[in-house]
């Protein structure tokens, strides 16, 4: 049986009357990548700051490799790497100097530090910018510097807030590969708004909204909760859409939806009664064939994670913005009061 390396025990964070995080509990085992999802203002970043000791919880705690982040913060932080939101770093430093500083404060001796720096630089492909001031780097490279400092000491636990934010598609692929490689021996939490990333690298996903858990499961289990699960999607030229809709309307006990975008249209065929999805797929293909319509693609849906996410966390955009503003304002007040520690963030 695998051991839980991250244990979140009834975490609560209040900023005055604003409840940012409400009674969160979950665990992440060694070898597991957990996607941490939620809309803006849901409490994701606040939760990650509490897990890493960057922000003290109102109540509850987190344990890193069995070490309580509230009662033994330095010992717990020695076991983890943290990529915060925005990947903050000293702008006048170069990536090389920054990583050398991180290995020193992590307590690595010279030989171990050189090996660690070389490994982190290789994994994040920073060779070409090592001696440029961080402030002059692109957003993508600054993100990679942040990732390098999080992994340089080869921690048992990784907490990463939007690790591929600002990266181009090739860079995203490289970072995902690195995460998959590291995940074999680590417990990893990734906060992301890129749902395809959850499918690509996460073993499990947890969705929160307004500080509380609203769903948890594998990406496949969550996608199966989508209204599209078991539906059939037909993609075809828009010039054929009207004829296809007429042909499919003749099927028994189905409901049709369509989305016309320029020269391409997607038609979703939903069964109104329980039945085998494969039978709906066969009937759809037969109806199109009899009408002599050649679609670009016909596919049986396994569910859509974005559809589930929207259904579970949907609320007016204004209320999401208000929550995020309140959370940020409250955190700034805490920072001024001296509760945050830059050392803890590293």
């Amino acid at each position: 049986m695998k051991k839980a390396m991250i244990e979140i025990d009834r975490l609560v964070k209040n900023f005055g009357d604003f409840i940012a995080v409400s009674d969160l509990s979950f665990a992440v085992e060694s070898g597991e990548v957990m996607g941490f999802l939620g809309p803006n203002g849901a409490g994701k970043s606040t939760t990650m700051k509490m897990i890493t000791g960057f922000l003290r919880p109102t109540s509850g705690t987190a344990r890193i490799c069995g070490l309580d982040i509230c009662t033994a913060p330095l010992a717990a932080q020695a076991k983890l790497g943290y990529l915060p939101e925005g990947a903050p770093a000293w702008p006048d430093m170069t990536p090389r100097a920054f990583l050398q500083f991180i290995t020193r404060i992590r307590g690595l001796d010279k030989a171990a530090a050189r090996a660690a720096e070389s490994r982190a630089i290789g994994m994040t492909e920073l060779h070409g910018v090592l001696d440029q001031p961080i402030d002059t780097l692109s957003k993508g490279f600054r993100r990679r510097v942040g990732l390098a400092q999080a992994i340089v000491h080869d921690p048992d636990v990784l907490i990463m807030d939007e690790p591929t934010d600002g990266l181009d598609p090739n860079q995203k692929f490289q970072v995902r590969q690195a995460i998959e490689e590291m995940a074999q021996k680590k417990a990893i939490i990734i906060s992301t708004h890129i749902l395809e990333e959850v499918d690509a690298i996460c073993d499990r996903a947890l969705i929160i909204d307004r500080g509380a858990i609203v769903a948890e499961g594998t990406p496949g289990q969550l996608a199966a909760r989508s209204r599209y699960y078991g539906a059939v999607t037909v993609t075809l030229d828009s010039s054929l859409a009207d004829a296809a809709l007429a042909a499919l309307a003749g099927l028994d006990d189905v409901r049709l939806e369509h989305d016309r975008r320029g020269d391409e249209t997607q038609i979703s065929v939903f069964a109104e009664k329980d039945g085998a999805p494969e039978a709906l797929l066969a009937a759809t293909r037969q109806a199109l064939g009899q009408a002599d319509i050649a679609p670009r693609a016909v596919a049986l849906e396994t569910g859509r994670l974005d559809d589930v996410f929207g259904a579970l966390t949907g609320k007016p955009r204004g209320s999401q913005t208000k929550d995020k503003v309140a959370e940020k304002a409250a955190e700034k007040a805490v920072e001024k009061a001296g509760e945050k520690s830059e050392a803890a963030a590293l």
Side-chain angles (χ1 to χ4, degrees), residues 156-217:
D156 295 323
V157 169
L158 271 175
I159 310 292
M160 296 186 284
D161 202 343
E162 303 285 359
T164 61
D165 184 39
L167 304 185
D168 65 34
N170 289 333
Q171 293 167 344
K172 287 180 181 179
F173 178 75
Q174 292 161 359
V175 169
R176 289 171 186 170
Q177 278 192 316
I179 291 170
E180 288 178 341
E181 181 182 334
M182 292 186 292
Q184 297 175 26
K185 298 180 181 179
K186 304 182 189 302
I188 300 176
I189 295 177
I190 296 176
S191 171
T192 180
H193 67 280
I194 305 171
L195 297 182
E196 68 180 50
E197 200 154 81
V198 177
D199 272 329
I201 59 176
C202 294
D203 303 295
R204 185 161 56 96
L206 186 150
I207 302 175
I208 69 170
D209 189 31
R210 307 191 190 203
I213 296 172
V214 294
E216 183 177 1

Side-chain angles (χ1 to χ4, degrees), residues 127-267:
H127 302 88
V129 298
L130 282 174
D131 297 308
Q132 292 180 222
I134 291 171
D135 193 40
T136 67
L137 301 180
S138 67
K139 182 179 179 180
F141 271 115
R142 290 198 301 271
R143 203 72 187 150
R144 284 195 263 175
V145 172
L147 179 58
Q149 71 78 23
I151 66 175
V152 69
H153 57 301
D154 194 24
D156 295 323
V157 169
L158 271 175
I159 310 292
M160 296 186 284
D161 202 343
E162 303 285 359
T164 61
D165 184 39
L167 304 185
D168 65 34
N170 289 333
Q171 293 167 344
K172 287 180 181 179
F173 178 75
Q174 292 161 359
V175 169
R176 289 171 186 170
Q177 278 192 316
I179 291 170
E180 288 178 341
E181 181 182 334
M182 292 186 292
Q184 297 175 26
K185 298 180 181 179
K186 304 182 189 302
I188 300 176
I189 295 177
I190 296 176
S191 171
T192 180
H193 67 280
I194 305 171
L195 297 182
E196 68 180 50
E197 200 154 81
V198 177
D199 272 329
I201 59 176
C202 294
D203 303 295
R204 185 161 56 96
L206 186 150
I207 302 175
I208 69 170
D209 189 31
R210 307 191 190 203
I213 296 172
V214 294
E216 183 177 1
T218 66
Q221 288 170 338
L222 292 177
R225 297 172 61 170
S226 165
R227 69 190 185 94
Y228 288 95
Y229 181 75
V232 173
T233 298
V234 178
T235 305
L236 39 60
D237 294 339
S238 290
S239 60
L240 301 174
D242 290 340
L245 287 166
L248 295 173
L251 295 175
D252 293 333
D253 300 316
V254 301
R255 175 173 52 83
L256 305 178
E257 293 181 7
H258 71 281
D259 181 16
R260 196 184 304 249
R261 297 182 182 179
D263 66 351
E264 182 177 279
T265 294
Q266 278 197 344
I267 301 173

